[in-house]
Amino acid sequence: MAQYDYDLITIGAGSGGVRASRVAASQFGARVAIVENSRVGGTCVMRGCVPKKLLIYGAHFSEEAEDATGYGWTVDGVRHDWPALIANKNRELQRLEGVYHRLLRDAGVTLLEGRGRVVDAHTVEVDGTPHTAEHILIAVGGWPSLPAIPGIEHAITSNEALDLPARPDRVVVVGGGYIAVEFAGIFNAFGSRVTEIIRAGQILRGFDEDVRDTLAAEMEKKGIRVRRECQVHSIEKQPDGSLSLLTDCGEDITTDAVMYATGRSPNTKGLGLAEAGVTLDPHGAVVVDQANRSSVPSIAAIGDVTNRVNLTPVAIKEGMAFALSTFGSAPTRVDYADIPSAVFSQPPVGTVGLTEAQARAQGPVDIYLSRFRPMKVTLSGRDEKTMMKLIVSRETDRVVGAHMVGADAAEIIQGIGIAIKAGATKAHFDATVGIHPTAAEEFVTMRDPVPDPSFEHTE
Ligand code: NDP
């Protein structure tokens, strides 16, 4: 008789947890249970990437309508029905939730609905009932984290922003990361008056400086007010329902909604991990080795709860690697180099490899940079610029970074990511024939590096 109830109990049915559980059960015949206290699908499918992208698609139609007039269309009486968008989005999420349930069922994974808590190295309690397993996988993801300022209870996060019954006329978005710029763009495109408040000097810390500056300028052209080096001290609800924000940058703001996107914290509170001997970092993230093992050998963790690279496709790769390593015969490691990513801002950002600053710290580089007006907006007269940038190692000729701000950046950078992963040199890019007329062809036609600032002299 088996020593444990299951071979694997996964806590968290998000993208990473579901992939690990399905592979363990269907490819290796492991007896697997997955614990979930909310909707199967997790952050990305239910509260993140998927509903966000649907809203972004919806948002783009306002500019499409603007462009259409330049092409001879008469676009009269364009109106948007926010509740219809939210209802349609929710219907799609329900469908996807059904798909995830079916995937788990077909793989033979048992769904334990309720809140999981780790009791010891081999036991998970679900709403008080103990279940045992040889391996426990923590895949509980993260949750928005908000600063403790007076009135913060009046703020919403991306969770609520995706489900607002009505679109607020005025919105303040606090934060300058992925989520903040994406939602600032969404609300702005649907017609809200958006102010984005960032404590730093520029949005998107950690991204290439040309990406940061270009996107901020484009967002401001579209009407988003970006307040830099600014912090909100308090939020007060007024009798008329509006919110008054007291800031330290010389401007107090009245708004209808304030959304905080000030980072996310690992979801480990109350999970019993520290008590079971699992080492957590100061932010509550599970500390894991290269094989995703925690300090307790039978307990592993993947995805945002480990707070390494907080992206869904990375969590899925980690889940896959865990299943192959634990139940298969070949230890598998995730390769974290050159992970492409996108910010679904307006216009979007696509990026892969090193920023210019990171590359310069490693050795001499040539920079190729192109700014141009996308052909699509030439007839409509819409004022939008695209920026593309390649960073090339002078020593090896390898393209070590590619960055883009502009329409379809995510779609374009995905392909460039393959080239960079394969070690492509600038000579390979130059030898590639462009597809004309596209924006993407610019990546293979940039011939002259920008003048190197280290060669410039001051009198
Ligand atoms: P990020 O870590 O990207 O950004 C947090 C932002 O909040 C930063 O601008 C930071 O400012 C600011 N901030 C932090 N604390 C405070 C504070 N107390 N007061 C004011 N500002 C503050 O977090 P997000 O919430 O945007 O996203 C979380 C993660 O989710 C991302 O890192 C990403 O991995 C993932 N994600 C990915 C997406 C994608 O791939 N398209 C989309 C959405 C999320 P500062 O720069 O000064 O530190």
mmCIF file of all heavy atoms in Angstrom, residues 52 56 158 173-186 196-207 211-212 215-216 219 224 226-227 259-264 311 341-347 349:
data_model
loop_
_atom_site.group_PDB
_atom_site.id
_atom_site.type_symbol
_atom_site.label_atom_id
_atom_site.label_comp_id
_atom_site.label_asym_id
_atom_site.label_seq_id
_atom_site.Cartn_x
_atom_site.Cartn_y
_atom_site.Cartn_z
ATOM 1 N N LYS A 52 -6.728 41.254 -18.964
ATOM 2 C CA LYS A 52 -6.037 42.513 -19.310
ATOM 3 C C LYS A 52 -5.887 42.644 -20.826
ATOM 4 O O LYS A 52 -6.208 43.676 -21.407
ATOM 5 C CB LYS A 52 -4.673 42.525 -18.600
ATOM 6 C CG LYS A 52 -3.788 43.719 -18.819
ATOM 7 C CD LYS A 52 -2.846 43.620 -19.992
ATOM 8 C CE LYS A 52 -2.045 42.375 -20.143
ATOM 9 N NZ LYS A 52 -0.858 42.266 -19.320
ATOM 10 N N ILE A 56 -7.235 45.388 -23.470
ATOM 11 C CA ILE A 56 -6.322 46.113 -24.381
ATOM 12 C C ILE A 56 -6.859 46.037 -25.815
ATOM 13 O O ILE A 56 -6.877 47.038 -26.533
ATOM 14 C CB ILE A 56 -4.899 45.502 -24.342
ATOM 15 C CG1 ILE A 56 -4.308 45.577 -22.944
ATOM 16 C CG2 ILE A 56 -4.000 46.127 -25.416
ATOM 17 C CD1 ILE A 56 -3.481 46.767 -22.631
ATOM 18 N N SER A 158 -5.375 45.967 -9.604
ATOM 19 C CA SER A 158 -5.733 45.440 -10.927
ATOM 20 C C SER A 158 -6.866 44.422 -10.807
ATOM 21 O O SER A 158 -7.669 44.276 -11.728
ATOM 22 C CB SER A 158 -4.515 44.824 -11.611
ATOM 23 O OG SER A 158 -3.900 43.873 -10.782
ATOM 24 N N VAL A 173 -3.565 56.329 -11.419
ATOM 25 C CA VAL A 173 -2.858 55.056 -11.314
ATOM 26 C C VAL A 173 -1.551 55.338 -10.585
ATOM 27 O O VAL A 173 -0.787 56.223 -10.998
ATOM 28 C CB VAL A 173 -2.566 54.459 -12.710
ATOM 29 C CG1 VAL A 173 -1.785 53.166 -12.571
ATOM 30 C CG2 VAL A 173 -3.864 54.220 -13.475
ATOM 31 N N VAL A 174 -1.300 54.627 -9.491
ATOM 32 C CA VAL A 174 -0.064 54.833 -8.737
ATOM 33 C C VAL A 174 0.889 53.685 -9.038
ATOM 34 O O VAL A 174 0.524 52.514 -8.887
ATOM 35 C CB VAL A 174 -0.344 54.921 -7.216
ATOM 36 C CG1 VAL A 174 0.958 55.191 -6.449
ATOM 37 C CG2 VAL A 174 -1.375 56.002 -6.925
ATOM 38 N N GLY A 175 2.120 54.031 -9.453
ATOM 39 C CA GLY A 175 3.121 53.022 -9.807
ATOM 40 C C GLY A 175 3.570 53.242 -11.235
ATOM 41 O O GLY A 175 2.851 53.853 -12.041
ATOM 42 N N GLY A 176 4.767 52.746 -11.534
ATOM 43 C CA GLY A 176 5.306 52.957 -12.881
ATOM 44 C C GLY A 176 5.765 51.666 -13.525
ATOM 45 O O GLY A 176 6.537 51.676 -14.471
ATOM 46 N N GLY A 177 5.280 50.518 -13.008
ATOM 47 C CA GLY A 177 5.702 49.221 -13.536
ATOM 48 C C GLY A 177 4.779 48.741 -14.643
ATOM 49 O O GLY A 177 3.964 49.500 -15.188
ATOM 50 N N TYR A 178 4.925 47.457 -14.984
ATOM 51 C CA TYR A 178 4.140 46.831 -16.048
ATOM 52 C C TYR A 178 2.645 47.134 -15.886
ATOM 53 O O TYR A 178 1.980 47.597 -16.798
ATOM 54 C CB TYR A 178 4.234 45.301 -15.952
ATOM 55 C CG TYR A 178 5.471 44.624 -16.428
ATOM 56 C CD1 TYR A 178 6.614 44.574 -15.650
ATOM 57 C CD2 TYR A 178 5.480 43.949 -17.643
ATOM 58 C CE1 TYR A 178 7.744 43.874 -16.069
ATOM 59 C CE2 TYR A 178 6.593 43.249 -18.077
ATOM 60 C CZ TYR A 178 7.722 43.212 -17.286
ATOM 61 O OH TYR A 178 8.814 42.534 -17.705
ATOM 62 N N ILE A 179 2.121 46.803 -14.690
ATOM 63 C CA ILE A 179 0.667 46.848 -14.508
ATOM 64 C C ILE A 179 0.165 48.284 -14.592
ATOM 65 O O ILE A 179 -0.850 48.567 -15.231
ATOM 66 C CB ILE A 179 0.268 46.174 -13.171
ATOM 67 C CG1 ILE A 179 0.684 44.698 -13.202
ATOM 68 C CG2 ILE A 179 -1.216 46.329 -12.895
ATOM 69 C CD1 ILE A 179 0.373 43.913 -11.936
ATOM 70 N N ALA A 180 0.911 49.201 -13.970
ATOM 71 C CA ALA A 180 0.473 50.607 -13.953
ATOM 72 C C ALA A 180 0.387 51.178 -15.369
ATOM 73 O O ALA A 180 -0.621 51.781 -15.737
ATOM 74 C CB ALA A 180 1.434 51.436 -13.096
ATOM 75 N N VAL A 181 1.436 50.985 -16.182
ATOM 76 C CA VAL A 181 1.392 51.597 -17.518
ATOM 77 C C VAL A 181 0.343 50.915 -18.403
ATOM 78 O O VAL A 181 -0.289 51.560 -19.238
ATOM 79 C CB VAL A 181 2.772 51.641 -18.230
ATOM 80 C CG1 VAL A 181 3.746 52.492 -17.453
ATOM 81 C CG2 VAL A 181 3.339 50.286 -18.487
ATOM 82 N N GLU A 182 0.148 49.613 -18.187
ATOM 83 C CA GLU A 182 -0.866 48.933 -18.996
ATOM 84 C C GLU A 182 -2.261 49.476 -18.680
ATOM 85 O O GLU A 182 -3.049 49.769 -19.590
ATOM 86 C CB GLU A 182 -0.811 47.419 -18.753
ATOM 87 C CG GLU A 182 0.455 46.799 -19.335
ATOM 88 C CD GLU A 182 0.566 45.289 -19.153
ATOM 89 O OE1 GLU A 182 -0.174 44.702 -18.346
ATOM 90 O OE2 GLU A 182 1.412 44.694 -19.816
ATOM 91 N N PHE A 183 -2.571 49.626 -17.396
ATOM 92 C CA PHE A 183 -3.917 50.084 -17.032
ATOM 93 C C PHE A 183 -4.102 51.574 -17.310
ATOM 94 O O PHE A 183 -5.210 52.008 -17.644
ATOM 95 C CB PHE A 183 -4.234 49.730 -15.578
ATOM 96 C CG PHE A 183 -4.747 48.328 -15.446
ATOM 97 C CD1 PHE A 183 -3.866 47.261 -15.354
ATOM 98 C CD2 PHE A 183 -6.099 48.057 -15.475
ATOM 99 C CE1 PHE A 183 -4.321 45.958 -15.273
ATOM 100 C CE2 PHE A 183 -6.573 46.758 -15.398
ATOM 101 C CZ PHE A 183 -5.682 45.708 -15.299
ATOM 102 N N ALA A 184 -3.038 52.358 -17.178
ATOM 103 C CA ALA A 184 -3.147 53.780 -17.549
ATOM 104 C C ALA A 184 -3.569 53.862 -19.019
ATOM 105 O O ALA A 184 -4.449 54.648 -19.382
ATOM 106 C CB ALA A 184 -1.819 54.489 -17.316
ATOM 107 N N GLY A 185 -2.975 53.033 -19.852
ATOM 108 C CA GLY A 185 -3.302 53.020 -21.285
ATOM 109 C C GLY A 185 -4.724 52.561 -21.540
ATOM 110 O O GLY A 185 -5.434 53.122 -22.388
ATOM 111 N N ILE A 186 -5.161 51.544 -20.815
ATOM 112 C CA ILE A 186 -6.524 51.022 -21.008
ATOM 113 C C ILE A 186 -7.549 52.107 -20.677
ATOM 114 O O ILE A 186 -8.412 52.444 -21.491
ATOM 115 C CB ILE A 186 -6.757 49.770 -20.114
ATOM 116 C CG1 ILE A 186 -5.946 48.577 -20.639
ATOM 117 C CG2 ILE A 186 -8.260 49.425 -20.038
ATOM 118 C CD1 ILE A 186 -5.935 47.365 -19.717
ATOM 119 N N GLU A 196 -0.989 59.311 -13.961
ATOM 120 C CA GLU A 196 -0.153 58.253 -13.406
ATOM 121 C C GLU A 196 0.876 58.896 -12.484
ATOM 122 O O GLU A 196 1.586 59.820 -12.894
ATOM 123 C CB GLU A 196 0.541 57.467 -14.535
ATOM 124 C CG GLU A 196 1.382 56.327 -13.980
ATOM 125 C CD GLU A 196 1.858 55.353 -15.056
ATOM 126 O OE1 GLU A 196 1.456 55.487 -16.229
ATOM 127 O OE2 GLU A 196 2.649 54.454 -14.694
ATOM 128 N N ILE A 197 0.911 58.402 -11.253
ATOM 129 C CA ILE A 197 1.828 58.991 -10.271
ATOM 130 C C ILE A 197 2.966 58.001 -10.023
ATOM 131 O O ILE A 197 2.727 56.855 -9.619
ATOM 132 C CB ILE A 197 1.085 59.303 -8.949
ATOM 133 C CG1 ILE A 197 -0.011 60.339 -9.215
ATOM 134 C CG2 ILE A 197 2.059 59.796 -7.888
ATOM 135 C CD1 ILE A 197 -0.775 60.762 -7.964
ATOM 136 N N ILE A 198 4.195 58.455 -10.295
ATOM 137 C CA ILE A 198 5.345 57.570 -10.069
ATOM 138 C C ILE A 198 6.313 58.237 -9.104
ATOM 139 O O ILE A 198 6.480 59.452 -9.125
ATOM 140 C CB ILE A 198 6.056 57.189 -11.391
ATOM 141 C CG1 ILE A 198 6.587 58.422 -12.131
ATOM 142 C CG2 ILE A 198 5.108 56.425 -12.296
ATOM 143 C CD1 ILE A 198 7.448 58.072 -13.346
ATOM 144 N N ARG A 199 6.893 57.417 -8.246
ATOM 145 C CA ARG A 199 7.818 57.997 -7.262
ATOM 146 C C ARG A 199 9.199 58.227 -7.870
ATOM 147 O O ARG A 199 9.970 59.031 -7.375
ATOM 148 C CB ARG A 199 7.906 57.118 -6.024
ATOM 149 C CG ARG A 199 8.507 55.760 -6.290
ATOM 150 C CD ARG A 199 8.591 54.922 -5.038
ATOM 151 N NE ARG A 199 9.153 53.614 -5.349
ATOM 152 C CZ ARG A 199 9.283 52.644 -4.486
ATOM 153 N NH1 ARG A 199 8.868 52.799 -3.242
ATOM 154 N NH2 ARG A 199 9.818 51.497 -4.848
ATOM 155 N N ALA A 200 9.519 57.495 -8.951
ATOM 156 C CA ALA A 200 10.827 57.637 -9.595
ATOM 157 C C ALA A 200 10.783 58.759 -10.630
ATOM 158 O O ALA A 200 9.760 59.423 -10.807
ATOM 159 C CB ALA A 200 11.200 56.318 -10.262
ATOM 160 N N GLY A 201 11.908 58.950 -11.313
ATOM 161 C CA GLY A 201 11.977 60.003 -12.330
ATOM 162 C C GLY A 201 11.372 59.578 -13.652
ATOM 163 O O GLY A 201 11.087 60.393 -14.521
ATOM 164 N N GLN A 202 11.185 58.265 -13.846
ATOM 165 C CA GLN A 202 10.651 57.779 -15.105
ATOM 166 C C GLN A 202 9.926 56.445 -14.871
ATOM 167 O O GLN A 202 10.212 55.741 -13.892
ATOM 168 C CB GLN A 202 11.788 57.619 -16.124
ATOM 169 C CG GLN A 202 11.359 57.352 -17.549
ATOM 170 C CD GLN A 202 10.356 58.393 -18.079
ATOM 171 O OE1 GLN A 202 9.195 58.415 -17.648
ATOM 172 N NE2 GLN A 202 10.800 59.242 -18.998
ATOM 173 N N ILE A 203 9.031 56.085 -15.795
ATOM 174 C CA ILE A 203 8.302 54.817 -15.702
ATOM 175 C C ILE A 203 9.240 53.641 -16.009
ATOM 176 O O ILE A 203 10.330 53.829 -16.539
ATOM 177 C CB ILE A 203 7.099 54.785 -16.687
ATOM 178 C CG1 ILE A 203 7.589 55.032 -18.128
ATOM 179 C CG2 ILE A 203 6.043 55.786 -16.284
ATOM 180 C CD1 ILE A 203 6.542 54.772 -19.193
ATOM 181 N N LEU A 204 8.796 52.450 -15.706
ATOM 182 C CA LEU A 204 9.436 51.183 -16.114
ATOM 183 C C LEU A 204 10.907 51.073 -15.715
ATOM 184 O O LEU A 204 11.784 50.867 -16.568
ATOM 185 C CB LEU A 204 9.286 50.962 -17.626
ATOM 186 C CG LEU A 204 7.866 50.662 -18.143
ATOM 187 C CD1 LEU A 204 7.899 50.431 -19.652
ATOM 188 C CD2 LEU A 204 7.244 49.444 -17.444
ATOM 189 N N ARG A 205 11.143 51.176 -14.418
ATOM 190 C CA ARG A 205 12.512 50.993 -13.913
ATOM 191 C C ARG A 205 13.034 49.630 -14.370
ATOM 192 O O ARG A 205 12.294 48.643 -14.381
ATOM 193 C CB ARG A 205 12.509 51.062 -12.377
ATOM 194 C CG ARG A 205 13.879 51.008 -11.757
ATOM 195 C CD ARG A 205 13.806 51.479 -10.315
ATOM 196 N NE ARG A 205 12.770 50.764 -9.560
ATOM 197 C CZ ARG A 205 12.963 49.593 -8.965
ATOM 198 N NH1 ARG A 205 14.120 48.975 -9.077
ATOM 199 N NH2 ARG A 205 11.987 49.020 -8.280
ATOM 200 N N GLY A 206 14.305 49.601 -14.756
ATOM 201 C CA GLY A 206 14.924 48.345 -15.185
ATOM 202 C C GLY A 206 14.893 48.138 -16.685
ATOM 203 O O GLY A 206 15.641 47.328 -17.216
ATOM 204 N N PHE A 207 14.023 48.864 -17.393
ATOM 205 C CA PHE A 207 13.965 48.745 -18.852
ATOM 206 C C PHE A 207 15.019 49.666 -19.476
ATOM 207 O O PHE A 207 15.559 50.556 -18.814
ATOM 208 C CB PHE A 207 12.569 49.140 -19.369
ATOM 209 C CG PHE A 207 11.543 48.063 -19.187
ATOM 210 C CD1 PHE A 207 11.052 47.730 -17.934
ATOM 211 C CD2 PHE A 207 11.058 47.363 -20.286
ATOM 212 C CE1 PHE A 207 10.107 46.731 -17.768
ATOM 213 C CE2 PHE A 207 10.117 46.365 -20.132
ATOM 214 C CZ PHE A 207 9.636 46.044 -18.868
ATOM 215 N N VAL A 211 13.594 52.960 -24.173
ATOM 216 C CA VAL A 211 12.230 52.419 -24.067
ATOM 217 C C VAL A 211 11.437 53.261 -23.074
ATOM 218 O O VAL A 211 10.310 53.687 -23.345
ATOM 219 C CB VAL A 211 12.266 50.938 -23.603
ATOM 220 C CG1 VAL A 211 10.880 50.466 -23.195
ATOM 221 C CG2 VAL A 211 12.843 50.053 -24.696
ATOM 222 N N ARG A 212 12.037 53.514 -21.917
ATOM 223 C CA ARG A 212 11.340 54.264 -20.865
ATOM 224 C C ARG A 212 10.933 55.651 -21.371
ATOM 225 O O ARG A 212 9.773 56.062 -21.229
ATOM 226 C CB ARG A 212 12.244 54.419 -19.639
ATOM 227 C CG ARG A 212 12.716 53.105 -19.069
ATOM 228 C CD ARG A 212 13.694 53.327 -17.930
ATOM 229 N NE ARG A 212 13.025 53.785 -16.719
ATOM 230 C CZ ARG A 212 13.663 54.212 -15.634
ATOM 231 N NH1 ARG A 212 14.989 54.260 -15.620
ATOM 232 N NH2 ARG A 212 13.003 54.582 -14.560
ATOM 233 N N LEU A 215 8.308 55.480 -24.418
ATOM 234 C CA LEU A 215 6.946 55.127 -24.022
ATOM 235 C C LEU A 215 6.298 56.256 -23.222
ATOM 236 O O LEU A 215 5.137 56.609 -23.469
ATOM 237 C CB LEU A 215 6.913 53.820 -23.215
ATOM 238 C CG LEU A 215 5.502 53.448 -22.748
ATOM 239 C CD1 LEU A 215 4.575 53.226 -23.941
ATOM 240 C CD2 LEU A 215 5.505 52.226 -21.849
ATOM 241 N N ALA A 216 7.052 56.842 -22.281
ATOM 242 C CA ALA A 216 6.469 57.921 -21.471
ATOM 243 C C ALA A 216 6.018 59.068 -22.381
ATOM 244 O O ALA A 216 4.921 59.615 -22.209
ATOM 245 C CB ALA A 216 7.484 58.400 -20.436
ATOM 246 N N MET A 219 2.863 58.045 -24.214
ATOM 247 C CA MET A 219 1.704 58.032 -23.305
ATOM 248 C C MET A 219 1.231 59.463 -23.026
ATOM 249 O O MET A 219 0.035 59.733 -22.995
ATOM 250 C CB MET A 219 2.066 57.330 -21.986
ATOM 251 C CG MET A 219 2.224 55.830 -22.132
ATOM 252 S SD MET A 219 2.936 55.033 -20.667
ATOM 253 C CE MET A 219 1.661 55.302 -19.450
ATOM 254 N N ILE A 224 -2.202 61.023 -21.229
ATOM 255 C CA ILE A 224 -1.991 60.563 -19.849
ATOM 256 C C ILE A 224 -1.053 61.554 -19.163
ATOM 257 O O ILE A 224 0.002 61.893 -19.703
ATOM 258 C CB ILE A 224 -1.382 59.141 -19.835
ATOM 259 C CG1 ILE A 224 -2.369 58.149 -20.454
ATOM 260 C CG2 ILE A 224 -0.996 58.732 -18.412
ATOM 261 C CD1 ILE A 224 -1.801 56.769 -20.708
ATOM 262 N N VAL A 226 1.633 62.214 -16.549
ATOM 263 C CA VAL A 226 2.556 61.449 -15.703
ATOM 264 C C VAL A 226 3.164 62.418 -14.693
ATOM 265 O O VAL A 226 3.790 63.403 -15.074
ATOM 266 C CB VAL A 226 3.668 60.771 -16.541
ATOM 267 C CG1 VAL A 226 4.593 59.959 -15.631
ATOM 268 C CG2 VAL A 226 3.059 59.870 -17.628
ATOM 269 N N ARG A 227 2.929 62.139 -13.418
ATOM 270 C CA ARG A 227 3.499 62.967 -12.350
ATOM 271 C C ARG A 227 4.698 62.224 -11.779
ATOM 272 O O ARG A 227 4.539 61.182 -11.142
ATOM 273 C CB ARG A 227 2.452 63.233 -11.247
ATOM 274 C CG ARG A 227 1.341 64.137 -11.686
ATOM 275 C CD ARG A 227 1.848 65.572 -11.878
ATOM 276 N NE ARG A 227 0.845 66.417 -12.519
ATOM 277 C CZ ARG A 227 0.767 66.665 -13.826
ATOM 278 N NH1 ARG A 227 1.617 66.107 -14.665
ATOM 279 N NH2 ARG A 227 -0.149 67.460 -14.311
ATOM 280 N N MET A 259 -6.092 53.558 -8.519
ATOM 281 C CA MET A 259 -5.641 52.161 -8.647
ATOM 282 C C MET A 259 -4.165 52.078 -8.297
ATOM 283 O O MET A 259 -3.343 52.784 -8.872
ATOM 284 C CB MET A 259 -5.849 51.682 -10.089
ATOM 285 C CG MET A 259 -5.338 50.271 -10.281
ATOM 286 S SD MET A 259 -5.374 49.771 -12.014
ATOM 287 C CE MET A 259 -3.857 48.831 -12.060
ATOM 288 N N TYR A 260 -3.844 51.209 -7.361
ATOM 289 C CA TYR A 260 -2.443 50.998 -6.984
ATOM 290 C C TYR A 260 -1.878 49.792 -7.731
ATOM 291 O O TYR A 260 -2.475 48.715 -7.728
ATOM 292 C CB TYR A 260 -2.314 50.785 -5.463
ATOM 293 C CG TYR A 260 -2.073 52.093 -4.744
ATOM 294 C CD1 TYR A 260 -3.086 53.032 -4.622
ATOM 295 C CD2 TYR A 260 -0.803 52.397 -4.239
ATOM 296 C CE1 TYR A 260 -2.845 54.246 -4.001
ATOM 297 C CE2 TYR A 260 -0.560 53.610 -3.614
ATOM 298 C CZ TYR A 260 -1.577 54.534 -3.496
ATOM 299 O OH TYR A 260 -1.350 55.734 -2.898
ATOM 300 N N ALA A 261 -0.726 50.015 -8.364
ATOM 301 C CA ALA A 261 0.018 48.915 -9.008
ATOM 302 C C ALA A 261 1.460 49.074 -8.551
ATOM 303 O O ALA A 261 2.342 49.428 -9.319
ATOM 304 C CB ALA A 261 -0.107 48.997 -10.518
ATOM 305 N N THR A 262 1.643 48.884 -7.258
ATOM 306 C CA THR A 262 2.953 49.147 -6.641
ATOM 307 C C THR A 262 3.669 47.841 -6.309
ATOM 308 O O THR A 262 4.331 47.733 -5.283
ATOM 309 C CB THR A 262 2.753 50.007 -5.374
ATOM 310 O OG1 THR A 262 1.657 49.485 -4.623
ATOM 311 C CG2 THR A 262 2.461 51.449 -5.733
ATOM 312 N N GLY A 263 3.529 46.873 -7.171
ATOM 313 C CA GLY A 263 4.235 45.605 -6.993
ATOM 314 C C GLY A 263 3.340 44.532 -6.399
ATOM 315 O O GLY A 263 2.213 44.800 -5.974
ATOM 316 N N ARG A 264 3.845 43.313 -6.432
ATOM 317 C CA ARG A 264 3.083 42.176 -5.920
ATOM 318 C C ARG A 264 3.962 41.396 -4.948
ATOM 319 O O ARG A 264 5.178 41.341 -5.116
ATOM 320 C CB ARG A 264 2.643 41.276 -7.088
ATOM 321 C CG ARG A 264 1.679 41.977 -8.042
ATOM 322 C CD ARG A 264 1.396 41.146 -9.272
ATOM 323 N NE ARG A 264 0.777 39.877 -8.959
ATOM 324 C CZ ARG A 264 -0.542 39.683 -8.830
ATOM 325 N NH1 ARG A 264 -1.367 40.697 -9.013
ATOM 326 N NH2 ARG A 264 -1.021 38.498 -8.558
ATOM 327 N N LEU A 311 6.804 35.920 -14.612
ATOM 328 C CA LEU A 311 6.100 35.883 -15.894
ATOM 329 C C LEU A 311 5.480 34.507 -16.068
ATOM 330 O O LEU A 311 6.116 33.488 -15.746
ATOM 331 C CB LEU A 311 7.069 36.156 -17.048
ATOM 332 C CG LEU A 311 7.753 37.533 -17.060
ATOM 333 C CD1 LEU A 311 8.851 37.567 -18.118
ATOM 334 C CD2 LEU A 311 6.748 38.649 -17.290
ATOM 335 N N SER A 341 10.092 39.733 -23.157
ATOM 336 C CA SER A 341 8.852 40.097 -22.464
ATOM 337 C C SER A 341 8.243 41.321 -23.140
ATOM 338 O O SER A 341 8.897 41.977 -23.953
ATOM 339 C CB SER A 341 9.090 40.357 -20.967
ATOM 340 O OG SER A 341 9.669 41.613 -20.766
ATOM 341 N N ALA A 342 7.006 41.575 -22.793
ATOM 342 C CA ALA A 342 6.293 42.699 -23.402
ATOM 343 C C ALA A 342 5.535 43.451 -22.331
ATOM 344 O O ALA A 342 5.158 42.886 -21.311
ATOM 345 C CB ALA A 342 5.320 42.198 -24.459
ATOM 346 N N VAL A 343 5.339 44.700 -22.571
ATOM 347 C CA VAL A 343 4.424 45.496 -21.755
ATOM 348 C C VAL A 343 3.312 45.898 -22.704
ATOM 349 O O VAL A 343 3.575 46.529 -23.742
ATOM 350 C CB VAL A 343 5.114 46.752 -21.186
ATOM 351 C CG1 VAL A 343 4.166 47.482 -20.240
ATOM 352 C CG2 VAL A 343 6.410 46.398 -20.474
ATOM 353 N N PHE A 344 2.082 45.547 -22.354
ATOM 354 C CA PHE A 344 0.973 45.830 -23.269
ATOM 355 C C PHE A 344 0.422 47.229 -23.010
ATOM 356 O O PHE A 344 -0.748 47.428 -22.731
ATOM 357 C CB PHE A 344 -0.083 44.723 -23.172
ATOM 358 C CG PHE A 344 0.453 43.414 -23.678
ATOM 359 C CD1 PHE A 344 0.946 42.463 -22.804
ATOM 360 C CD2 PHE A 344 0.530 43.167 -25.035
ATOM 361 C CE1 PHE A 344 1.487 41.267 -23.265
ATOM 362 C CE2 PHE A 344 1.070 41.988 -25.519
ATOM 363 C CZ PHE A 344 1.552 41.038 -24.635
ATOM 364 N N SER A 345 1.342 48.155 -23.108
ATOM 365 C CA SER A 345 1.011 49.567 -22.978
ATOM 366 C C SER A 345 0.515 50.045 -24.345
ATOM 367 O O SER A 345 0.422 49.257 -25.290
ATOM 368 C CB SER A 345 2.273 50.330 -22.578
ATOM 369 O OG SER A 345 3.376 49.894 -23.366
ATOM 370 N N GLN A 346 0.262 51.356 -24.440
ATOM 371 C CA GLN A 346 -0.156 51.904 -25.738
ATOM 372 C C GLN A 346 0.750 53.051 -26.108
ATOM 373 O O GLN A 346 0.633 54.109 -25.487
ATOM 374 C CB GLN A 346 -1.607 52.349 -25.658
ATOM 375 C CG GLN A 346 -2.435 51.163 -25.291
ATOM 376 C CD GLN A 346 -3.881 51.354 -25.567
ATOM 377 O OE1 GLN A 346 -4.277 52.114 -26.413
ATOM 378 N NE2 GLN A 346 -4.689 50.646 -24.831
ATOM 379 N N PRO A 347 1.670 52.895 -27.031
ATOM 380 C CA PRO A 347 1.921 51.676 -27.799
ATOM 381 C C PRO A 347 2.664 50.638 -26.956
ATOM 382 O O PRO A 347 3.248 50.992 -25.932
ATOM 383 C CB PRO A 347 2.815 52.180 -28.951
ATOM 384 C CG PRO A 347 3.492 53.391 -28.395
ATOM 385 C CD PRO A 347 2.546 54.021 -27.442
ATOM 386 N N VAL A 349 5.379 47.658 -25.700
ATOM 387 C CA VAL A 349 6.837 47.507 -25.617
ATOM 388 C C VAL A 349 7.166 46.035 -25.791
ATOM 389 O O VAL A 349 6.484 45.172 -25.241
ATOM 390 C CB VAL A 349 7.338 47.950 -24.215
ATOM 391 C CG1 VAL A 349 8.822 47.610 -24.038
ATOM 392 C CG2 VAL A 349 7.097 49.431 -23.987
#
